[in-house]
Amino acid sequence: MTLEGVTPEHDRLASVVRQHASQLAAALMRVTGDFATAEDLVQDAVLAALRHWPKEGIPDRPDAWLFTVARRRALDGFRRADNYRAKLAQLQWPVQPDEDERLRLIFTCCHPALSRPAQIALTLRVVCGLTTEQIARAFLVRETTIAQRITRAKRKIADAGIPYRVPADDELAPRLTEVLTVIYLLFNEGYLATVGPPQSRDLAEDADWLAGLLYQLMPTEPEVAGLLALIRLHRARAAARFSGNGEIVLLQDQDRSLWDRQGIADAVRLLTRAARRQRPGPYQLQAAIVACHAEAERWEDTDWEQIVLLYDMLLHLAPSPVARLHRAIAVRYATGALAAMAELDDLAGLLGEYHLYHASRAELLRELGRPEQARAADQRALELTANPAEQAVLHQRLTWA
């Protein structure tokens, strides 16, 4: 049984868990002093709710119910430790929010000593309260694989003595980058999954929620606001990204009346407030690029010159071949296909195994009147992607005369 389901109990439980799991884990961590124990107690409570609530109904105070079960399990586990029992007996719900403790959880889950897959799995498990089965289903891997990642991560935290704390000021920037990367990768996986059905909505929502939580805890960090704005700008356009049968709708063909204009405006305001701090970063610049697309009433109104300029700034701060590819696509519309093709040719050795490189090259070749080369590029892109929605677009192109 999982949190997802057709029943209102499952939907409400998912919301309750995501809202309260990290707070409950932080409270238990304070008492037990052990990350793994606190995490296990929260998961025990979640699984107990999964067993009881569909049959008995959701209690009036579901967060308090989860807390009571977790504390009871802790008392049973520490029945021989008088000190723990005394502390747990005094612990009451609701616990007064402690922002530092929730930050400690996030930074512990995203510690650079852990592998990236372990960081993501542990964050989903501890901060969002997802079960091992949910995480496995979201990433289309075996449940035992996710369980092993979580177990190894908890063992690493214990064996390496990873501190349960917010990094010191001189450590904060690189550690915050780790946290933001985890949330960004999580959103990317949810927004357009690497395999399986497109638009895994739960992961995208979890990433949105995590970014929002981090923004509440760190409101003066402009890159946190930038990532939150980036996620919400993308999600504001999500309703138009896929057709009724799950096929990708390209940006120029999307029905912009389906876009959430209020959501776009709110995200742009968030981004504007971040920009006033005059500490630009990659997430703010990516969000600004998406905002240029989102604020255009029509495809023809897109400010491609501004987008190219923003990519130049992004490449100065965070150079990458993929960013250069996206800049070349913008150059196509700002300057022309020949200039864009020259930039793509320079990337051949760096992105030869990247499907979007070949798909983008195919579009340029087709525009330049070289259909056979375009067809070969589309075929290569098809060989390199496992995403069904992207495969459908490429198959369609290959059927063109």
Side-chain angles (χ1 to χ4, degrees):
M1 185 181 296
T2 68
L3 295 186
E4 287 92 6
V6 296
T7 66
E9 288 83 1
H10 285 163
D11 291 340
R12 187 175 174 199
L13 175 57
S15 176
V16 168
V17 167
R18 189 161 57 189
Q19 190 66 33
H20 299 288
S22 60
Q23 187 175 341
L24 178 55
L28 292 167
M29 175 66 193
R30 182 198 310 158
V31 174
T32 65
D34 183 81
F35 182 90
T37 298
E39 188 272 329
D40 288 342
L41 291 170
V42 173
Q43 282 295 301
D44 284 346
V46 170
L47 292 172
L50 285 169
R51 288 192 299 270
H52 290 280
W53 289 7
K55 298 176 183 177
E56 302 169 8
I58 297 177
D60 292 336
R61 290 292 309 279
D63 55 338
W65 191 98
L66 290 168
F67 170 78
T68 300
V69 171
R71 187 175 70 165
R72 186 181 302 124
R73 298 290 171 85
L75 286 167
D76 291 342
F78 294 124
R79 58 186 178 277
R80 297 176 183 171
D82 292 340
N83 188 37
Y84 281 138
R85 284 182 60 84
K87 289 182 179 180
L88 285 164
Q90 295 170 8
L91 192 58
Q92 301 295 324
W93 193 265
V95 177
Q96 290 301 315
D98 186 331
E99 292 184 352
D100 281 347
E101 289 193 353
R102 300 179 89 179
L103 274 176
R104 288 181 193 126
L105 273 180
I106 295 172
F107 278 103
T108 300
C109 291
C110 299
H111 195 280
L114 304 176
S115 69
R116 185 71 74 209
Q119 290 175 342
I120 293 172
L122 203 59
T123 300
L124 287 172
R125 172 84 172 241
V126 179
V127 183
C128 294
L130 273 65
T131 65
T132 304
E133 182 186 357
Q134 285 179 291
I135 302 168
R137 288 177 59 240
F139 287 97
L140 297 179
V141 299
R142 291 181 300 177
E143 188 174 350
T144 54
T145 300
I146 295 297
Q148 288 169 356
R149 288 177 189 172
I150 292 171
T151 299
R152 284 195 296 265
K154 291 191 292 186
R155 187 180 301 122
K156 179 75 172 181
I157 289 170
D159 294 346
I162 291 175
Y164 176 66
R165 64 175 176 84
V166 178
D169 289 347
D170 60 344
E171 303 174 290
L172 185 59
R175 289 288 305 281
L176 180 58
T177 298
E178 284 285 316
V179 173
L180 295 175
T181 300
V182 167
I183 298 174
Y184 180 68
L185 292 174
L186 182 63
F187 176 73
N188 279 345
E189 185 68 28
Y191 197 57
L192 185 58
T194 55
V195 293
Q199 206 174 19
S200 176
R201 299 183 53 153
D202 291 333
L203 285 180
E205 289 174 3
D206 285 324
D208 190 325
W209 183 84
L210 278 168
L213 173 61
L214 195 61
Y215 179 66
Q216 291 175 27
L217 300 175
M218 307 182 76
T220 63
E221 290 292 335
E223 277 292 81
V224 174
L227 178 58
L228 180 59
L230 175 63
I231 290 173
R232 292 187 172 171
L233 282 165
H234 276 304
R235 296 194 72 210
R237 301 181 301 160
R241 290 187 68 243
F242 293 93
S243 66
N245 57 4
E247 295 178 349
I248 291 177
V249 179
L250 299 178
L251 180 60
Q252 58 264 44
D253 300 322
Q254 288 179 15
D255 180 357
R256 300 189 178 209
S257 69
L258 298 176
W259 291 2
D260 178 2
R261 289 293 174 185
Q262 185 60 54
I264 290 170
D266 291 343
V268 169
R269 279 193 293 271
L270 178 64
L271 182 60
T272 301
R273 288 196 297 270
R276 292 193 187 112
R277 297 191 177 274
Q278 298 184 4
R279 282 190 285 151
Y283 293 112
Q284 295 170 73
L285 290 169
Q286 289 181 67
I289 291 167
V290 178
C292 285
H293 291 294
E295 290 186 303
E297 294 291 335
R298 302 175 305 152
W299 168 258
E300 295 79 10
D301 299 330
T302 307
D303 189 346
W304 292 106
E305 288 78 10
Q306 177 69 13
I307 290 173
V308 171
L309 177 61
L310 288 167
Y311 272 118
D312 288 338
M313 296 171 65
L314 177 61
L315 286 166
H316 176 72
L317 290 177
S320 77
V322 172
R324 288 176 61 189
L325 169 63
H326 289 301
R327 182 189 182 278
I329 295 170
V331 166
R332 171 191 179 188
Y333 297 105
T335 307
L338 278 174
M341 180 61 78
E343 299 206 10
L344 283 192
D345 287 342
D346 289 340
L347 293 170
L350 297 171
L351 296 176
E353 299 301 311
Y354 185 45
H355 69 284
L356 289 181
Y357 168 77
H358 294 282
S360 300
R361 190 167 177 274
E363 288 193 358
L364 291 176
L365 289 167
R366 197 169 287 111
E367 184 174 336
L368 292 170
R370 294 147 68 179
E372 291 305 315
Q373 291 175 282
R375 182 179 179 82
D378 274 332
Q379 184 63 50
R380 181 59 179 149
L382 182 61
E383 294 168 358
L384 292 171
T385 182
N387 183 277
E390 292 176 332
Q391 288 175 337
V393 171
L394 292 166
H395 276 300
Q396 184 180 52
R397 288 180 182 175
L398 288 167
T399 63
W400 294 346

